[in-house]
Amino acid sequence: KLIGIGIGPGDPELLTIKAARILKSCGAVFTVISQHVDKSVSETVVRSVAPDANIIRLTFSMSRDRKEREDQVLRNAERIRDELDAGTFTAFHDRYDTLTYSTYGYMIAHLKKLLPDFRFETVPGITSYSTLAARSGAVLVENTEDLRVVPAFKSSMADSIEFPEGSSTVLLKTYHSRGALIERLRKEKDLDVVYGENLTMEGEFISRDLDEIAVSADFHVEIAPGIFPQDDLVIHDILRLVIDLLCRR
């Protein structure tokens, strides 16, 4: 059986009690790591509660070649399958929540094909935008407001994207479109933007100033806009995955 675990933003104290208990008892714990880094926030969190855990690193290709990316995902799924076939109590963990824009979903899809009797359980984690809302003191949504999530903001969307009243919008993966996004936000009236970086960790940075956000070295955003129906305050919060932007009108 595979247990998928969301470990939250990076603060070990925000790991759920259930997640910590499972990580301590697993025979194999798979972690996701980028190709060009040696340290993993996820791995650090796991080590804080299970220092002797058998952590197995999985690298996911960031190639522009779709087939290369898909082949890498399949190889990682096969590695997990091998542990499950051996009868190992296995966990797969990722930052934030494993069912929200995570590699975990791809693993589950492949493992269902590789193992006829595949079973899995998921332990939820705190999302990036919930973290930013909490750290910045901003309300994410309330009453009858809508929460909108744009998974990959691009410069070409700058002119068409809207921030409707009575909703909050989270914009993800905007780090390649910083200039276009900032210029678009400058055109909005009565819109308060909150930006967050390295949330809950060393070097945490939160700002509502567009000029500060524009020069932030790690600018990678998630934005959410929305509006409080009962007053004229507009809040744009930027959370952090690496960095998030959250806008609320």
Side-chain angles (χ1 to χ4, degrees), residues 149-166:
V149 179
V150 180
F153 178 82
K154 299 178 181 178
S155 297
S156 58
M157 300 167 60
D159 291 334
S160 60
I161 192 166
E162 297 180 353
F163 305 118
E165 293 190 17

Side-chain angles (χ1 to χ4, degrees), residues 138-148 162-170 188-192 224-237 246-249:
V139 174
L140 192 57
V141 281
E142 60 186 357
N143 200 9
T144 59
E145 295 173 344
D146 296 327
L147 177 63
R148 307 164 60 212
E162 297 180 353
F163 305 118
E165 293 190 17
S167 70
S168 291
T169 305
V170 177
E188 292 293 321
K189 295 182 179 180
D190 302 322
L191 196 62
D192 176 31
I227 294 184
F228 294 96
Q230 66 271 36
D231 60 40
D232 58 0
L233 174 63
V234 180
I235 300 180
H236 260 270
D237 324 325
L246 187 137
C247 312
R248 186 161 186 265
R249 194 194 282 279

Side-chain angles (χ1 to χ4, degrees), residues 55-215:
I55 294 180
I56 303 171
R57 293 181 170 186
L58 297 178
T59 299
F60 286 82
S61 173
M62 300 300 288
S63 170
R64 293 178 180 273
D65 186 314
R66 180 172 181 174
K67 185 177 187 307
E68 182 177 333
R69 297 196 307 271
E70 292 176 345
D71 288 346
Q72 181 70 66
V73 171
L74 177 58
R75 287 194 295 272
N76 288 336
E78 290 172 339
R79 180 69 183 85
I80 296 174
R81 176 203 58 191
D82 293 343
E83 290 295 335
L84 294 172
D85 275 343
T88 308
F89 184 37
T90 304
F92 177 98
H93 68 87
D94 206 349
R95 290 283 297 284
Y96 302 104
D97 179 66
T98 50
L99 293 176
T100 305
Y101 301 113
S102 166
T103 52
Y104 176 63
Y106 299 111
M107 293 295 97
I108 295 302
H110 279 292
L111 288 166
K112 285 180 177 179
K113 297 176 182 178
L114 294 170
L115 295 168
D117 58 347
F118 174 64
R119 295 182 300 120
F120 69 99
E121 177 183 343
T122 305
V123 179
I126 298 173
T127 64
S128 61
Y129 39 93
S130 291
T131 303
L132 179 55
R135 299 297 289 177
S136 66
V139 174
L140 192 57
V141 281
E142 60 186 357
N143 200 9
T144 59
E145 295 173 344
D146 296 327
L147 177 63
R148 307 164 60 212
V149 179
V150 180
F153 178 82
K154 299 178 181 178
S155 297
S156 58
M157 300 167 60
D159 291 334
S160 60
I161 192 166
E162 297 180 353
F163 305 118
E165 293 190 17
S167 70
S168 291
T169 305
V170 177
L171 301 175
L172 310 179
K173 300 179 181 179
T174 63
Y175 46 97
H176 291 308
S177 312
R178 180 200 314 215
L181 176 61
I182 293 296
E183 289 309 308
R184 176 67 177 82
L185 294 178
R186 291 188 193 282
K187 297 177 182 178
E188 292 293 321
K189 295 182 179 180
D190 302 322
L191 196 62
D192 176 31
V193 178
V194 181
Y195 171 84
E197 179 179 313
N198 296 318
L199 296 182
T200 78
M201 298 183 291
E202 182 179 354
E204 179 180 80
F205 170 70
I206 297 174
S207 176
R208 284 180 163 83
D209 186 304
L210 286 180
D211 291 332
E212 286 187 345
I213 296 169
V215 298

